[in-house]
Amino acid sequence: MRKHWKALTAVGVVVLIVAVAVILINRPAPATEQDPGSLQASGKFGFPVSDLSIGEGGTTKASDGKTITGYNGTCDSAAQAAANYAPLLRDVNLKTWESQKKALGEVSKPGPWVASATLSGDILAGLEEEQPPGAFEGGWVQRADVAAGGMYRVASCEQERSAVVQVFIGSLDGRTNSVPLANYGTVSMELGWEGDWKITDAMPEADDPSFGGRVKDAGPSGQDPAGPTGEVPLLSNDLVEWVFKDASRQGWIEYANAKR
């Protein structure tokens, strides 16, 4: 009888060890920022440089033929999805607005944030004027240049669950003195996992810079102090100092193919 009990005890211990191992292996990754130890040496402005690139990370495309979809659910892929989704939240092109809104619907979940994200585009696209005030060549009123900012900050992430990512971008925002004005700004978004990364919230209000407590601050922003030139300039030390004057540099990482 003792032999049987010893055998049963041994089996029970093995089962317990296996169960604990399975739990540990399958436990979701904790909500955390990217480990700086996995990054490359500092870039031109002292920020760590990731091996992630803008325009990569997925396997398919949305109906607009350019927005990348089909991610694998890792936190790295959330950072790539955020960069690739940013133009859908920032661009306003009167000729392609309906296509953009359709693609945005494909990579997001409905919510009150959608009305804020599409308000200016809906208003401008609804005007009867062929060339509304501020529009520039090609039907653009706002055009994102994600690589011109070229940085991201993962505020939190649990793989195949949720992520909050901020993307620092450049953009041309409306024609002033015959040419569009260059800006730098931060696009903040919350992503949820539903077999692919989907935007579940974005575009925090001006009076909510912490995005409901989900981010440290609204992120760097500022106009090109040189005035309108019709181009987004490459970042310089002076520009970095200017746009980060009211924002923390902590957690910001450069994409591998940022324009520098």
Side-chain angles (χ1 to χ4, degrees):
M1 190 67 179
R2 284 183 180 176
K3 291 182 179 179
H4 289 307
W5 278 112
K6 286 181 179 179
L8 289 172
T9 301
V11 170
V13 170
V14 170
V15 170
L16 180 60
I17 292 171
V18 170
V20 171
V22 168
I23 291 170
L24 290 174
I25 291 169
N26 292 301
R27 184 172 59 184
T32 181
E33 296 178 6
Q34 184 161 346
D35 176 14
S38 66
L39 303 171
Q40 300 172 16
S42 294
K44 184 176 180 180
F45 307 112
F47 297 98
V49 179
S50 172
D51 59 359
L52 304 180
S53 290
I54 301 159
E56 296 181 0
T59 57
T60 56
K61 289 186 178 179
S63 61
D64 61 358
K66 59 183 181 181
T67 301
I68 298 173
T69 60
Y71 299 92
N72 62 18
T74 63
C75 293
D76 277 351
S77 74
Q80 290 176 305
N84 298 332
Y85 294 167
L88 294 176
L89 297 171
R90 195 70 183 85
D91 283 355
V92 177
N93 185 308
L94 305 180
K95 296 181 179 180
T96 59
W97 180 244
E98 291 307 316
S99 171
Q100 180 179 332
K101 282 186 66 177
K102 182 180 178 182
L104 178 60
E106 293 165 0
V107 302
S108 67
K109 298 296 292 181
W113 66 271
V114 176
S116 297
T118 57
L119 178 61
S120 60
D122 283 341
I123 291 173
L124 290 165
L127 296 177
E128 295 182 359
E129 302 169 72
E130 185 175 337
Q131 183 89 346
F136 52 99
E137 185 179 356
W140 292 99
V141 179
Q142 295 175 338
R143 185 173 69 198
D145 185 343
V146 182
M151 286 189 276
Y152 68 97
R153 178 165 66 180
V154 178
S156 63
C157 182
E158 291 186 50
Q159 62 180 13
E160 294 191 358
R161 281 199 167 189
S162 63
V164 176
V165 185
Q166 294 175 288
V167 184
F168 180 56
I169 67 171
S171 62
L172 292 176
D173 293 355
R175 182 167 44 85
T176 304
N177 297 331
S178 77
V179 292
L181 177 66
N183 275 293
Y184 287 97
T186 300
V187 178
S188 300
M189 68 187 83
E190 179 186 69
L191 303 170
W193 180 255
E194 293 190 5
D196 200 358
W197 287 116
K198 303 278 187 179
I199 304 171
T200 55
D201 197 5
M203 310 294 284
E205 301 295 331
D207 60 355
D208 181 24
S210 71
F211 200 15
R214 287 170 283 186
V215 298
K216 290 182 175 72
D217 53 52
S221 64
Q223 293 182 345
D224 179 7
T229 64
E231 297 180 353
V232 181
L234 290 177
L235 278 179
S236 64
N237 282 314
D238 287 345
L239 272 173
V240 169
E241 292 294 331
W242 170 251
V243 298
F244 271 94
K245 69 182 187 300
D246 295 320
S248 169
R249 296 193 183 199
Q250 185 178 358
W252 284 101
I253 300 165
E254 291 188 11
Y255 288 100
N257 59 345
K259 291 181 181 178
R260 298 289 182 261

